[in-house]
């Protein structure tokens, strides 16, 4: 069993819960939230009806290497949370819970990602040298874009 890592972050935005959740409920918006260096692109036909069992296919580059990624929505609770898991892709495991909470006129978003990296016996080294930084970078970029779109606090 590969070692699993956890990444958690919170983002507070100056926008109503309904607006923020609606934005995140559209798969095509993932491209706006991903650093351009990853060349992330949704290849599934759009729009996608978000629900448990919905699958979304993407293309991206990690460290210059092209990957196909397919995720499945496993939990869909509008205005509360949704979860996606990697079916195919660059990680040994990727489970991402997005949760949303009203904070007056603002919205608190929380992300929890449990992931494992390839690399067999050197996976901890791969994580320490490359993957941990990449995951932090992706979510930092996402937080910046969300703050610009919805107003940070």
């Amino acid at each position: 069993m590969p070692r699993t890592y956890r990444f958690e972050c919170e983002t507070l935005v100056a926008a109503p819960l309904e607006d923020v959740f609606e934005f995140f409920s559209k798969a095509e918006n993932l491209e706006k939230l991903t650093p351009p260096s990853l060349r992330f692109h949704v290849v599934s036909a759009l729009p996608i009806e978000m629900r448990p069992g919905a699958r979304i296919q993407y293309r991206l580059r990690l460290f210059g290497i092209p990957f196909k990624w397919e995720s499945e929505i496993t939990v869909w609770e509008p205005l509360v949370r949704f979860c996606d898991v990697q079916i195919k892709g660059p990680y040994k495991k990727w489970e991402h819970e997005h949760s949303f909470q009203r904070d007056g006129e603002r919205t608190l978003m929380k992300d929890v990602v449990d992931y494992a990296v390839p690399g067999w016996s050197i996976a901890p080294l791969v994580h320490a040298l490359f993957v941990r930084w990449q995951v932090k970078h992706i979510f930092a970029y996402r937080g910046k874009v969300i703050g610009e779109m919805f107003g940070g606090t």
Side-chain angles (χ1 to χ4, degrees):
M1 181 65 80
R3 179 172 176 191
T4 299
Y5 300 93
R6 175 167 277 195
F7 175 83
E8 299 181 58
C9 70
E10 293 185 354
T11 306
L12 185 62
V13 295
L17 172 64
E18 293 78 7
D19 295 348
V20 175
F21 192 86
E22 180 181 348
F23 177 83
F24 277 87
S25 71
K26 296 177 181 168
E28 56 270 28
N29 288 332
L30 284 169
E31 292 182 22
K32 297 173 186 170
L33 299 174
T34 305
S37 61
L38 296 181
R39 297 190 210 166
F40 184 90
H41 181 67
V42 177
V43 296
S44 296
L46 299 171
I48 296 168
E49 178 191 352
M50 300 299 269
R51 58 174 173 68
R55 290 199 174 192
I56 309 165
Q57 296 175 338
Y58 324 93
R59 282 192 323 257
L60 73 150
R61 287 184 175 266
L62 286 171
F63 310 108
I65 302 167
F67 286 97
K68 292 180 180 179
W69 186 324
E70 182 176 359
S71 63
E72 180 177 336
I73 303 299
T74 57
V75 174
W76 183 255
E77 298 175 22
L79 302 179
V80 178
R81 71 184 182 123
F82 67 94
C83 302
D84 60 86
V85 299
Q86 174 190 280
I87 303 300
K88 297 177 194 169
Y91 294 91
K92 287 283 188 187
K93 172 185 179 180
W94 181 274
E95 298 176 353
H96 183 182
E97 179 181 42
H98 314 248
S99 62
F100 304 82
Q101 184 177 341
R102 189 180 315 275
D103 183 350
E105 292 297 314
R106 303 176 302 177
T107 301
L108 177 63
M109 303 180 338
K110 296 181 183 179
D111 291 282
V112 177
V113 182
D114 291 316
Y115 64 99
V117 300
W120 303 280
S121 61
I122 65 164
L125 183 61
V126 170
H127 179 258
L129 293 177
F130 303 107
V131 178
R132 178 176 47 214
W133 173 86
Q134 185 71 33
V135 170
K136 287 180 181 180
H137 171 69
I138 289 167
F139 280 89
Y141 180 87
R142 190 177 101 158
K144 177 180 173 274
V145 170
I146 291 167
E148 290 169 357
M149 291 179 67
F150 292 107
T153 58

